């Protein structure tokens, strides 16, 4: 889809995110970074909010672009921004993606004297990501159970095996 400068701002942001992804598929991180920066600029210009999940998504994408060409120093700020937005929410899968990015960052960073500490830090972030994924699975299973119970109570589904 071609970028339309007269489209509504949120559509432009979506298009720019897609554009950055396509550039990354082709390994053109400079072009991807341009698209990502433009998306951030559009969000700030049109006051779409800097405390919502879309802003966090743009920041996470930008961090991944930096990590793709091993610029872990530049990746930290957008990751921190995304983390600050997503941390208080119940978006477990999103949190998991951010934590995995942090883990990758520390794996890239391990050099010289701090290598051991960075390795431990990377393991910590990976563990946190696994925790968030586990929470997401529990929440999903709970939701499925509640929906099944509703169907059984409505008589649309026969009760399953009852364990006494």
């Amino acid at each position: 889809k071609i970028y339309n400068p007269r489209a509504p701002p949120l559509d432009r942001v979506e298009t720019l995110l897609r554009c950055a992804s396509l550039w990354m598929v082709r390994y053109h991180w400079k072009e991807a970074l341009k698209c990502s920066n433009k998306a951030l600029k559009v969000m700030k210009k049109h006051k779409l909010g800097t405390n919502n999940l879309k802003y966090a998504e743009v920041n996470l994408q930008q961090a991944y672009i930096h990590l793709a060409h091993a610029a872990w120093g530049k990746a930290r700020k957008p990751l921190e921004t995304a983390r600050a937005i997503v941390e208080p929410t119940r978006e477990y899968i999103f949190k998991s993606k951010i934590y995995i990015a942090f883990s990758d960052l520390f794996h890239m960073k391990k050099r010289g004297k701090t290598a051991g500490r960075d390795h431990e830090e990377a393991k910590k972030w990976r563990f946190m990501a696994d925790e968030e994924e586990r929470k997401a699975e529990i929440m999903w299973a709970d939701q499925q159970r509640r929906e099944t119970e509703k169907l059984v109570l409505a008589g649309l589904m026969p009760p399953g095996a009852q364990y006494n």
Side-chain angles (χ1 to χ4, degrees):
K1 203 169 171 184
I2 298 167
Y3 179 71
N4 177 8
R6 283 183 285 287
L10 215 51
D11 290 352
R12 275 186 270 171
V13 170
E14 283 294 327
T15 306
L16 287 163
L17 280 172
R18 217 172 13 259
C19 172
S21 297
L22 290 171
W23 278 118
M24 282 311 293
V25 167
R26 298 184 196 128
Y27 301 105
H28 287 288
W29 59 265
K30 277 186 181 170
E31 299 298 327
L33 208 52
K34 282 180 195 171
C35 291
S36 191
N37 284 331
K38 179 116 178 174
L40 285 172
K41 202 183 286 181
V42 167
M43 287 194 83
K44 283 184 180 137
K45 182 181 174 190
H46 294 282
K47 296 180 178 66
L48 295 176
T50 55
N51 200 18
N52 54 26
L53 290 177
K54 182 55 69 184
Y55 191 71
E57 187 183 345
V58 175
N59 273 291
L60 179 63
Q61 188 189 50
Q62 193 171 47
Y64 266 115
I65 292 167
H66 285 306
L67 289 174
H69 65 279
W72 51 263
K74 289 180 182 171
R76 193 167 205 146
K77 190 174 174 236
L79 268 180
E80 289 290 351
T81 308
R83 179 177 163 218
I85 294 168
V86 178
E87 201 94 279
T89 66
R90 294 181 63 166
E91 296 288 333
Y92 299 121
I93 297 295
F94 205 161
K95 278 191 221 177
S96 169
K97 287 178 183 174
I98 292 171
Y99 294 160
I100 288 170
F102 264 112
S103 174
D104 293 345
L105 184 144
F106 279 104
H107 268 301
M108 282 179 189
K109 192 173 172 283
K110 19 177 236 216
R111 298 276 183 279
K113 288 182 182 173
T114 60
R117 205 172 340 149
D118 290 336
H119 183 67
E120 290 305 314
E121 194 74 14
K123 284 201 299 195
K124 180 189 88 174
W125 285 106
R126 183 58 71 158
F127 176 75
M128 284 166 63
D130 292 344
E131 276 303 297
E132 294 301 327
E133 283 175 18
R134 193 180 59 78
K135 283 181 196 171
E137 283 172 11
I138 289 171
M139 195 171 83
W140 180 79
D142 201 41
Q143 183 184 356
Q144 294 294 93
R145 182 184 51 78
R146 271 188 262 124
E147 285 174 10
T148 306
E149 283 173 359
K150 278 182 196 169
L151 290 173
V152 168
L153 288 173
L156 299 171
M157 193 176 179
Q162 300 291 321
Y163 298 106
N164 296 346

